[in-house]
């Protein structure tokens, strides 16, 4: 109990003694963890956007106008794992859609005696990357006369998705390395500032763990507080960004589920605790191990 | 605890030999003065007991522990049983007088009520009660020395090593400190005092070990100071 009280007191002393350094470390942790959180949110939203667009990505196969041919193509298409749904669109349905899309101009279509639109099979793919493959498979079927799909969009989406994933990994790695370095150096400075005291503590019978623990706690507090503040900042700034985007780009759909942001906050705080713990342990224990060596 | 030096040599560099071929046994509960000119090896001898330094040759045994072979984790436990009054006090500047004396007890997990009782007793014995909330830099050199002694004895160690414990004190306070060290010794603690203070060595006659250039040149049962050419 006395040991625990001493450790708490000493941790407070470490934080308050070099308060300028503590504030600087805290601000840096806030900035770094905010960057980590923001980059994670960016990746999640990009993936969400890509998934939304991918969900709408469709390969349209125009088939010879016989019910058997339509059924046959639909049946074959639904056997592919990469296909999420298959739907037969009759000529009448295609005409109805055209009317709905054209509005008042649809009157022009009613002037035609015969429905000029061919029936088709609409095939939705699970991921953009599968669109080209499915299109090739469909065109090779004898019943299919033509295939239309947004091939360029599909490929571009796939490229964006993988680029964002790679970029986010780099941002994540650089941010975490910066946070670790700042925390490591802060603890190292605290340890060096008290190196003689540490030597005395060890000489009068304090164990290495007893000496090292206040420094570890200092690192954990700074890391956790930085991550916590950054999570709060992220919560409010993301809310504001969503409001602004909704007004200016209403057709863009982003993640609005608060549970995602809360989970991200929990991950950030856990990362703060872990990074703080590891960095301060490394910085303090290495020096204390050296200080406890006999001459 | 008995302390035994068997053929101990400590060489810091080819030119600096602090101790040479020292054979010495200090029995449990003994009171020993270490005398000799500056640089004779007194402080090194004390630092060998706490394993702050390791012997270059020979063997130092504290109780039944060979200090060269002790594991670093066990070393902390051995040091808790050895109170040390450092020549330069080495008080922890961020702790108050009370906290400095309580430090070792807190480090070893003594219950808070016992820490409070023991620390208050020690502060009372050393006349530091009124100074308990001050920091080392706010008290005089003599008071700092008493705090260092308080820290060393608060844990009732089996061995007490004191390097110049009366160095900054006036005769009256030095006598008080000596009375204190003798009373600690009377309770069974082995006490080793490295000193230049002729007055106290002659006034409180105990075993005297004289070192000169790292060699033991005298070991008197109830000796006097008698150090030639001392600074």
């Amino acid at each position: 109990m006395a040991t625990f009280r001493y450790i708490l007191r000493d941790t407070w002393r470490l934080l308050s003694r070099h308060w300028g350094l503590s504030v600087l470390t805290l601000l840096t942790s806030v900035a770094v963890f905010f960057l980590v959180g923001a980059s994670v949110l960016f990746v999640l939203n990009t993936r969400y956007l890509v998934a939304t667009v991918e969900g709408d990505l469709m390969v349209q196969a125009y088939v010879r106008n016989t019910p058997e041919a339509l059924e046959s193509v639909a049946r074959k298409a639904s056997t592919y794992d990469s296909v999420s749904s298959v739907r037969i669109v009759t000529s009448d349905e295609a005409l109805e859609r055209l009317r709905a899309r054209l509005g008042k101009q649809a009157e022009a279509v009613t002037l035609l005696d015969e429905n000029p639109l061919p029936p088709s099979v609409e095939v939705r793919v699970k991921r953009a990357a599968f669109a080209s493959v499915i299109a090739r498979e469909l065109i090779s079927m004898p019943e299919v006369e033509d295939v239309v799909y947004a091939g360029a969009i599909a490929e571009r989406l796939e490229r964006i998705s993988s680029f964002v994933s790679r970029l986010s990994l780099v941002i994540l790695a650089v941010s975490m390395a910066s946070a670790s370095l700042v925390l490591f150096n802060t603890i190292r400075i605290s340890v060096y500032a008290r190196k003689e005291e540490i030597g005395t503590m060890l000489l009068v019978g304090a164990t290495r763990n007893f000496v090292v623990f206040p420094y570890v706690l200092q690192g954990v507090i700074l890391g956790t507080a930085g991550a916590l503040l950054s999570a709060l900042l992220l919560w409010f700034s993301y809310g504001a960004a969503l409001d602004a985007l909704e007004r200016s780009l209403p057709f863009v759909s982003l993640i609005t589920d608060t549970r995602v942001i809360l989970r991200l906050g929990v991950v950030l705080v856990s990362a703060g605790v872990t990074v703080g713990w590891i960095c301060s342990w490394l910085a303090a224990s290495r020096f204390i191990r050296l200080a406890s060596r006999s001459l | 605890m008995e302390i035994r030096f068997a053929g101990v040599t400590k060489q810091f560099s080819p030119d600096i030999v602090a101790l040479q071929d020292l054979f010495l046994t200090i029995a449990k509960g003994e009171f020993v003065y270490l005398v000799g000119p500056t640089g004779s090896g007194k402080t090194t001898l004390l630092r060998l007991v706490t394993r702050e330094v390791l012997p270059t040759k020979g063997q130092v045994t504290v109780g039944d522990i060979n200090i060269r072979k002790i594991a670093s984790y066990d070393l902390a436990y051995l040091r808790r049983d050895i109170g040390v009054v450092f020549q330069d006090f080495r008080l922890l500047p961020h702790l108050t007088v009370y906290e400095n004396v309580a430090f070792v007890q807190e480090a070893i997990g003594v219950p808070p009520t016992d820490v409070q009782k023991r620390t208050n007793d020690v502060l009372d014995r050393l006349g530091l009660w009124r100074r308990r909330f001050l920091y080392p830099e706010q008290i005089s050199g003599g008071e700092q020395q008493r705090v260092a002694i308080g820290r060393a004895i608060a844990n009732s160690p089996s061995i007490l090593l004191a390097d110049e414990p009366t160095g900054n004190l006036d005769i009256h306070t030095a006598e008080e400190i000596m009375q204190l060290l003798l009373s600690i010794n009377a309770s069974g603690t082995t006490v080793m005092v490295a000193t230049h203070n002729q007055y106290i060595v002659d006034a409180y006659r105990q075993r005297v070990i004289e070192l000169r250039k790292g060699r033991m040149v005298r070991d008197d049962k109830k000796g006097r100071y008698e150090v030639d050419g001392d600074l």
Side-chain angles (χ1 to χ4, degrees):
Chain A
M1 188 63 189
T3 309
F4 187 63
R5 271 202 334 211
Y6 171 83
I7 287 170
L8 287 183
R9 271 204 322 265
D10 206 38
T11 306
W12 171 246
R13 275 187 210 113
L14 287 170
L15 287 167
S16 56
R17 194 181 194 188
H18 304 288
W19 65 269
L21 192 65
S22 297
V23 170
L24 195 68
T25 310
L26 186 68
L27 289 177
T28 315
S29 318
V30 172
V32 166
F33 283 112
F34 183 80
L35 195 65
V36 170
S39 64
V40 170
L41 268 181
F42 179 65
V43 171
L44 288 178
N45 271 304
T46 312
R47 282 190 180 163
Y48 181 73
L49 254 174
V50 168
T52 311
V53 177
E54 275 177 342
D56 291 338
L57 200 67
M58 196 166 58
V59 181
Q60 200 142 23
Y62 292 99
V63 182
R64 273 183 283 130
N65 196 0
T66 62
E68 295 78 25
L70 283 166
E71 284 296 330
S72 164
V73 171
R75 201 174 46 252
K76 284 186 215 164
S78 58
T79 58
Y80 294 106
D81 287 341
S82 49
V83 168
S84 61
S85 69
V86 178
R87 191 165 179 276
I88 295 170
V89 180
T90 61
S91 302
D92 293 342
E93 198 180 339
L95 187 63
E96 277 309 308
R97 282 187 187 177
L98 189 68
R99 279 184 180 142
R101 198 179 299 165
L102 293 178
K104 284 181 183 174
Q105 293 167 339
E107 286 169 14
V109 180
T110 55
L111 294 174
L112 298 168
D113 290 339
E114 204 179 315
N115 182 357
L117 302 175
S120 63
V121 175
E122 280 181 359
V123 179
R124 287 182 196 277
V125 288
K126 287 176 183 166
R127 288 191 55 195
F130 303 144
S132 316
V133 182
I134 291 298
R136 275 199 298 277
E137 291 291 331
L138 288 171
I139 199 76
S140 67
M141 293 177 191
E143 302 92 331
V144 177
E145 291 179 333
D146 196 11
V147 168
V148 175
Y149 80 105
I153 292 178
E155 281 161 21
R156 199 171 297 165
L157 278 176
E158 187 53 29
R159 276 205 303 274
I160 290 172
S161 180
S162 69
F163 172 73
V164 167
S165 295
R166 268 178 292 169
L167 181 73
S168 65
L169 269 179
V170 173
I171 294 174
L172 212 68
V174 171
S175 309
M176 292 309 275
S178 321
S180 307
L181 213 68
V182 169
L183 275 164
F184 182 84
N185 278 324
T186 303
I187 304 300
R188 213 161 59 157
I189 290 167
S190 297
V191 172
Y192 271 90
R194 288 178 61 176
K195 63 179 179 183
E196 282 177 18
E197 293 168 43
I198 289 171
T200 306
M201 287 176 180
L202 293 167
L203 273 176
V204 297
T207 58
R208 282 185 201 170
N209 285 345
F210 179 82
V211 177
V212 94
F213 211 81
Y215 296 97
V216 172
L217 211 55
Q218 180 193 15
V220 169
I221 287 172
L222 288 173
T224 312
L228 198 66
L229 285 173
S230 74
L232 286 173
L233 205 63
L234 210 61
W235 174 277
F236 290 115
S237 56
Y238 186 66
L242 276 184
D243 287 345
L245 271 171
E246 210 165 273
R247 278 195 300 275
S248 54
L249 299 166
F251 49 86
V252 175
S253 67
L254 295 174
I255 297 169
T256 50
D257 189 353
T258 48
R259 281 173 305 177
V260 175
I261 322 295
L262 276 175
R263 242 176 274 154
L264 178 62
V266 171
V267 169
L268 280 180
V269 172
S270 311
V273 174
T274 314
V275 169
W277 184 281
I278 293 172
C279 292
S280 49
W281 177 263
L282 287 176
S285 64
R286 188 173 167 271
F287 176 81
I288 289 163
R289 205 171 48 247
L290 290 174
S292 58
R293 268 192 200 153
S294 304
L295 292 171
Chain B
M1 270 201 277
E2 186 186 78
I3 305 164
R4 191 189 294 268
F5 294 81
V8 171
T9 296
K10 179 63 195 176
Q11 195 165 1
F12 287 104
S13 71
D15 306 331
I16 305 170
V17 182
L19 284 173
Q20 279 190 73
D21 209 24
L22 179 74
F23 286 88
L24 172 67
T25 301
I26 294 152
K28 183 183 174 199
E30 226 180 335
F31 191 113
V32 177
Y33 290 116
L34 293 173
V35 298
T38 303
S40 58
K42 303 186 295 293
T43 300
T44 303
L45 193 149
L46 296 180
R47 290 171 76 194
L48 279 163
V49 178
T50 57
R51 217 193 87 155
E52 201 179 339
V53 296
L54 279 169
T56 312
K57 225 170 73 183
Q59 207 167 287
V60 179
T61 317
V62 179
D64 51 5
I65 299 164
N66 180 344
I67 63 128
R68 191 188 284 283
K69 290 180 180 165
I70 191 169
S72 61
Y73 187 76
D74 294 329
L75 180 61
Y77 290 89
L78 173 70
R79 283 173 174 171
R80 289 171 190 182
D81 214 15
I82 304 173
V84 186
V85 183
F86 299 99
Q87 195 169 9
D88 52 357
F89 319 140
R90 295 201 208 171
L91 297 177
L92 301 171
H94 62 286
L95 301 184
T96 61
V97 165
Y98 178 93
E99 289 167 338
N100 261 289
V101 174
F103 175 77
V104 182
Q105 299 166 76
E106 287 183 325
I108 66 175
V110 174
T113 45
D114 291 354
V115 172
Q116 204 175 359
K117 189 178 175 305
R118 278 198 222 170
T119 308
N120 287 341
D121 282 351
V122 169
L123 290 175
D124 205 28
R125 273 171 86 182
L126 291 168
L128 289 166
W129 176 250
R130 284 162 177 258
R131 296 278 193 250
R132 65 191 186 281
F133 296 127
L134 298 179
Y135 286 89
E137 62 180 20
Q138 296 171 313
I139 57 178
S140 69
E143 286 168 332
Q144 286 182 28
Q145 198 144 25
R146 277 187 278 163
V147 178
I149 293 169
R151 183 178 63 188
I153 64 171
N155 204 33
S156 309
S158 300
I159 297 171
L160 181 65
L161 309 176
D163 199 354
E164 297 290 354
T166 56
N168 294 302
L169 305 178
D170 57 71
I171 287 293
H172 177 67
T173 317
E175 280 187 332
E176 276 179 11
I177 294 299
M178 274 312 297
Q179 295 290 352
L180 183 72
L181 293 178
L182 287 167
S183 74
I184 290 161
N185 175 241
S187 65
T189 301
T190 310
V191 179
M192 290 176 77
V193 177
T195 185
H196 288 285
N197 193 324
Q198 183 173 358
Y199 174 78
I200 62 153
V201 176
D202 291 343
Y204 303 92
R205 302 270 293 272
Q206 298 288 341
R207 182 178 173 188
V208 175
I209 291 166
E210 185 181 343
L211 296 171
R212 195 169 283 271
K213 291 182 179 170
R215 289 187 183 278
M216 189 170 76
V217 293
R218 180 162 64 103
D219 184 358
D220 290 343
K221 202 86 183 137
K222 289 274 180 192
R224 288 183 166 277
Y225 189 73
E226 294 170 355
V227 178
D228 294 333
D230 191 10
L231 294 174

